Amino acid sequence: MGELTQVRRLVTSVPGPRSVELMARRQRAVSGSLGHVLPVFAAAASGGVLVDVDGNSFIDFASGIAVTSVGGSDPAVVAGVSAQAAAFTHTCFLVTPYEGYVEVCERLNELTPGDHEKRSILVNSGAEAVENAVKIARAWTRRPAVVVFDHAYHGRTNLTMAMTAKSMPYKSGFGPFAGEVYRAPMSYPFRDGLSGPEAARRAIDLIEAQVGAANVACVVLEPIQGEGGFVVPAPGFLPEIAAWCRASGAVFVADEVQTGFCRTGDWFACAAEGVVPDLVITAKGIAGGLPLGAVTGRAELMDAVHAGGLGGTFSGNPVACAAALGAIATMSTLDLCAAARRIGDTMLPRLGKLRERVPAIGDVRGRGAMVAIELVRPGTVEPDADLARRVSQACHAEGLLTLTAGTYGNVLRFLPHSSHRPTCWPKAWTCSKVR
Ligand SMILES: *Cc1c(COP(=O)(O)O)cnc(C)c1O
């Protein structure tokens, strides 16, 4: 397809007639259980734009939910995928291993925080990676309890639903859930006003009183929460929780599925505070859009599971591995960590200025190319989900694809492609349509 012109251009209504037609077909063939942020059908994507079947070109501030950080169809990803697909598409790593799998694990072991001896496994998704991290932590500690946080999102499988905080739409009606999952309060500076160490103390007190330190297999934490609303914990929260884990013999697991791979301006968000997790969970941005997840961690933990204890038929598929190697090469050669920092340096001050003028913007936060605004009723911290929905729709109508997030649905989140330069800001950013 080649590089598309990086423009925001609407040539029909949104959705256009071809998308409307396809949507009718979709309704007849596909389950109603799947929602869509923007009901236009994709025809092509490259760099930071997505073109629909009616020829509308959207600036993509969703990146398929923090996946295509390297752009819509990164040349290195495309080349790797094409060559690997032509060579072989599958053997199952448990049947016959292949070099690409090993090489992705080598990259993960190098790039994740800490210079200790590491090992990795590859899986198919973020949720599957979370499940495996819990299995490894339980096998290593021989303890049952999993501690997670308010506003957390860890996936949609049975165990990860239990770990995810938000009922609607992720959990409602799908119980009973897996046991031995305990929820602690998260550091949420906009809403709790606590310092990082204070918020950590509050969480640790609850864990010690309600779970018991000796029962905790692992504490699983997103360094910046994703679905929960891009909640950036106050400085000191992460290091204190990690230190408590070390002192208590619990495994500290960083769920970097959304924050990893240059999204926040570092290879991994934990690095910003020098935190070295025992296990790091990755997926989303790892492979430029192909399904891949991973668990990377201390060799002694990763090797504590008996041979044959982990794995799966498709896990670490060779085509997905080739995509990951292409994506990681692009992140290095284009220095997408620096690019993500530039995006944050552009967006955060602009949104900060907007906040001074628009009282409905309660908070502007994020890091690198992971930026959000939290919308509230002016003068309060009362969530305004309806406004978030309307602003997001106004953006869509102007050709900017945005997402909402948050436990209360009142957070507008921006996940631009790190390779994308924000040159044409839509008019919706001035809020002309919503006030
Ligand atoms: C998306 C996400 C997951 C789940 O990943 P899937 O690939 O959708 O299963 C887990 N944790 C975090 C932090 C995520 O953002």
Side-chain angles (χ1 to χ4, degrees):
M1 193 83 200
E3 183 76 7
L4 300 168
T5 319
Q6 301 294 299
V7 289
R8 179 171 65 89
R9 185 189 55 224
L10 299 182
V11 295
T12 70
S13 54
V14 177
R18 292 217 51 217
S19 279
V20 169
E21 222 175 278
L22 282 167
M23 189 56 75
R25 221 172 108 195
R26 174 249 177 269
Q27 306 295 14
R28 288 190 298 274
V30 182
S31 162
S33 61
L34 310 174
H36 308 289
V37 170
L38 177 61
V40 304
F41 278 73
S46 86
V49 299
L50 188 149
V51 173
D52 75 7
V53 290
D54 291 287
N56 298 304
S57 176
F58 294 86
I59 293 183
D60 186 358
F61 271 22
S63 297
I65 318 186
V67 170
T68 49
S69 309
V70 290
S73 54
D74 175 58
V77 172
V78 173
V81 164
S82 309
Q84 182 55 51
F88 60 92
T89 55
H90 175 82
T91 65
C92 182
F93 193 74
L94 311 177
V95 175
T96 317
Y98 36 89
E99 189 178 348
Y101 188 116
V102 177
E103 204 176 331
V104 173
C105 292
E106 288 169 347
R107 291 285 94 75
L108 283 162
N109 298 347
E110 286 157 22
L111 293 169
T112 49
D115 49 15
H116 49 283
E117 185 80 8
K118 291 176 213 160
R119 301 282 185 274
S120 293
I121 59 161
L122 304 181
V123 294
N124 298 295
S125 69
E128 196 186 346
V130 174
E131 294 250 1
N132 277 280
V134 170
K135 284 162 81 169
I136 293 162
R138 283 176 170 162
W140 168 253
T141 59
R142 307 198 174 276
R143 299 171 177 182
V146 175
V147 174
V148 292
F149 291 84
D150 286 333
H151 313 291
Y153 183 86
H154 297 292
R156 296 176 183 263
T157 59
N158 186 263
L159 173 60
T160 59
M161 269 194 296
M163 295 168 69
T164 290
K166 191 173 175 176
S167 175
M168 257 327 244
Y170 306 123
K171 304 169 72 164
S172 187
F174 301 141
F177 303 111
E180 288 299 327
V181 175
Y182 301 90
R183 195 168 306 285
M186 177 66 180
S187 168
Y188 195 154
F190 175 62
R191 293 192 172 275
D192 65 24
L194 298 179
S195 72
E198 286 166 348
R201 195 66 250 165
R202 178 179 62 174
I204 289 163
D205 285 347
L206 183 141
I207 297 167
E208 288 180 340
Q210 298 186 17
V211 191
N215 300 311
V216 179
C218 57
V219 174
V220 185
L221 178 53
E222 298 159 81
I224 296 177
Q225 290 182 321
E227 298 295 316
F230 286 18
V231 178
V232 186
F237 182 74
L238 243 59
E240 295 277 331
I241 297 289
W244 181 85
C245 286
R246 209 172 313 118
S248 315
V251 177
F252 180 63
V253 184
D255 181 344
E256 294 249 17
V257 169
Q258 193 152 159
T259 49
F261 287 102
C262 304
R263 176 54 57 188
T264 63
D266 286 299
W267 278 98
F268 296 96
C270 275
E273 286 191 86
V275 170
V276 177
D278 299 306
L279 298 178
V280 178
I281 301 168
T282 52
K284 291 203 166 93
I286 189 175
L290 271 81
L292 192 70
V295 183
T296 301
R298 297 188 184 282
E300 62 273 24
L301 264 85
M302 296 296 295
D303 289 337
V305 179
H306 50 276
L310 304 178
T313 307
F314 291 128
S315 307
N317 170 271
V319 181
C321 286
L325 294 172
I328 293 167
T330 294
M331 291 177 210
S332 302
T333 50
L334 298 186
D335 195 356
L336 292 193
C337 285
R341 288 194 293 272
R342 279 199 299 276
I343 289 172
D345 290 346
T346 305
M347 292 186 79
L348 289 164
R350 283 198 193 197
L351 292 168
K353 280 211 190 86
L354 198 59
R355 178 171 178 266
E356 287 164 19
R357 286 194 286 118
V358 182
I361 301 178
D363 196 21
V364 172
R365 59 177 178 254
R367 194 184 298 152
M370 184 169 185
V371 172
I373 60 179
E374 176 156 1
L375 299 173
V376 293
R377 301 204 188 285
T380 74
V381 292
E382 204 187 312
D384 194 344
D386 182 57
L387 182 61
R389 192 184 45 75
R390 284 190 297 133
V391 176
S392 200
Q393 281 175 358
C395 290
H396 299 170
E398 302 254 1
L400 175 71
L401 177 47
T402 51
L403 302 173
T404 57
T407 299
Y408 317 109
N410 65 322
V411 175
L412 205 59
R413 61 169 157 172
F414 310 113
L415 290 162
H417 297 241
S418 298
S419 57
H420 169 59
R421 284 164 198 279
T423 47
C424 28
W425 299 83
K427 278 191 283 191
W429 280 67
T430 62
C431 292
S432 58
K433 289 220 162 171
V434 292
R435 289 198 307 141

